[in-house]
Amino acid sequence: METRRLQLLVELSRLGSMRAVAEATGTTTSTVSQQIAVLAREMGAALIEPHGRRVRLTPAGRRLAEHAVTILGAVEAAHLDLAPDAEPNGTLRTAGFATAIRAHLLPLVTELATSHPGVHLLIREHEPAEALELLAADETDLALTYDYNLAPASFEPAVRATALWTAPWGLGVPARDAADGGTTVEVFARFATHDWIVNSRNTADETVIRTLASTAGFTPRITHRADNLDLVQGMITAGLGVGLLPTALGTVPDVRLIPLTAPDVVLRAYAVARHGRLNWPPLALITDLLTERSTRPDTGAPPGGRVKPADRP
């Protein structure tokens, strides 16, 4: 059984069409079809079936694709095991959200220049869904993502998510409307008639807002979307609505940040990588450094890993 055929099956499971697999792997649709057919004969089971003008995996095909992820990961790990103690060298492609890059990844660039000059970071700013897509397509090696405790993310079996730092969030409101006290649900209920501002490139904070608003007995009126937290504050100042903000963020005079407790609203950051790459020395090094940095009090962030970002989150 050739691992190349297993790779094509995994890509077909992810992309959903022979043509998309051919484009992603730089081959032809005919070649993809032929290789899947050979794999089916080797396994003695039908792996695909017609689905309209496309095809889809049969139950046997889906099961083999699940095994293939483990097999391909083991093959990659075996190659890496040939030099398990090698000095980290090479370019590590990273994709992550602005706060993680600014407060945690960029400082490592300076450290690496002295401690590991053979390791180079290639950095791209992306929201979690975008970064995970790049990881699945093997266009990045490490994805820095986040979720909220009230909107937990799910990760594919092919990747491992390493927990990094956490950061509490509150509700940003016009200073004239601020009134401390009460549980999170009670705070939300006080702003039920206001417009709400959410992220323009990620739905996690909107999920949190809708969940808490539902608990408070109303449906939030989502009217504005912005990716930059300074812009969110400007919108709040202009009276356009209210929105979630990190509690470590320095607010402008016309914006007040109301703490959210019972339940708390907490952002959780992760370093995500594919199983087959976990022991690759540059990736293992950066993951370890990020994990260690997340717990250090001298990283330029308040205790607990909280940061003062300009962009969401």
Side-chain angles (χ1 to χ4, degrees):
M1 181 187 302
E2 293 187 6
T3 56
R4 171 65 172 169
R5 293 177 186 137
L6 292 177
Q7 183 63 53
L8 292 175
L9 182 68
V10 170
E11 290 297 297
L12 182 57
S13 173
R14 181 174 72 88
L15 298 174
S17 79
M18 298 277 193
R19 180 177 179 180
V21 173
E23 292 176 351
T25 57
T27 185
T28 65
T29 302
S30 176
T31 297
V32 174
S33 178
Q34 291 172 5
Q35 292 300 305
I36 296 296
V38 171
L39 183 60
R41 289 196 295 271
E42 291 177 341
M43 299 305 300
L47 302 179
I48 60 175
E49 60 187 6
H51 182 59
R53 294 185 177 182
R54 308 174 71 181
V55 297
R56 64 184 176 189
L57 298 188
T58 63
R62 293 195 299 272
R63 185 60 176 160
L64 181 58
E66 294 173 356
H67 283 297
V69 169
T70 302
I71 293 169
L72 294 171
V75 170
E76 287 194 66
H79 285 296
L80 295 173
D81 283 343
L82 295 177
D85 299 322
E87 179 69 17
N89 283 286
T91 299
L92 180 73
R93 302 168 298 171
T94 61
F97 60 102
T99 296
I101 292 173
R102 181 184 303 107
H104 293 265
L105 198 57
L106 290 182
L108 293 184
V109 174
T110 302
E111 294 182 22
L112 291 171
T114 301
S115 63
H116 296 85
V119 177
H120 303 282
L121 294 179
L122 181 62
I123 299 174
R124 300 171 64 177
E125 187 269 321
H126 285 281
E127 282 292 304
E130 301 165 346
L132 292 174
E133 287 179 2
L134 292 174
L135 191 67
D138 195 23
E139 294 180 16
T140 194
D141 304 304
L142 179 66
L144 300 179
T145 71
Y146 67 90
D147 68 3
Y148 292 93
N149 61 321
L150 300 181
S154 60
F155 297 98
E156 296 293 333
V159 304
R160 185 183 73 181
T162 300
L164 297 177
W165 68 92
T166 61
W169 281 50
L171 185 64
V173 305
R176 62 182 180 275
D177 295 336
D180 289 335
T183 66
T184 295
V185 174
E186 290 169 341
V187 170
F188 265 58
R190 291 204 298 270
F191 293 91
T193 61
H194 285 60
D195 289 345
W196 290 76
I197 306 165
V198 299
N199 196 329
S200 60
R201 295 171 56 201
N202 190 288
T203 60
D205 66 328
E206 181 175 346
T207 299
V208 172
I209 287 172
R210 291 189 181 279
T211 298
L212 291 172
S214 177
T215 304
F218 71 96
T219 299
R221 189 167 59 249
I222 306 293
T223 53
H224 306 286
R225 299 177 183 272
D227 184 52
N228 183 285
L229 292 177
D230 290 337
L231 179 56
V232 172
Q233 290 203 63
M235 290 178 170
I236 294 172
T237 299
L240 296 181
V242 299
L244 297 179
L245 293 172
T247 59
L249 180 68
T251 56
V252 298
D254 292 330
V255 174
R256 179 81 174 275
L257 196 59
I258 302 177
L260 297 176
T261 57
D264 296 345
V265 176
V266 179
L267 177 145
R268 307 177 299 189
Y270 303 93
V272 187
R274 295 165 60 184
H275 279 292
R277 306 284 176 86
L278 296 177
N279 293 326
W280 181 40
L283 177 60
L285 171 67
I286 298 304
T287 301
D288 288 345
L289 289 175
L290 286 170
T291 302
E292 188 271 338
R293 186 175 181 80
S294 296
T295 62
R296 276 164 41 188
D298 60 343
T299 59
R306 286 176 276 174
V307 296
K308 295 185 178 181
D311 301 307
R312 287 182 181 269

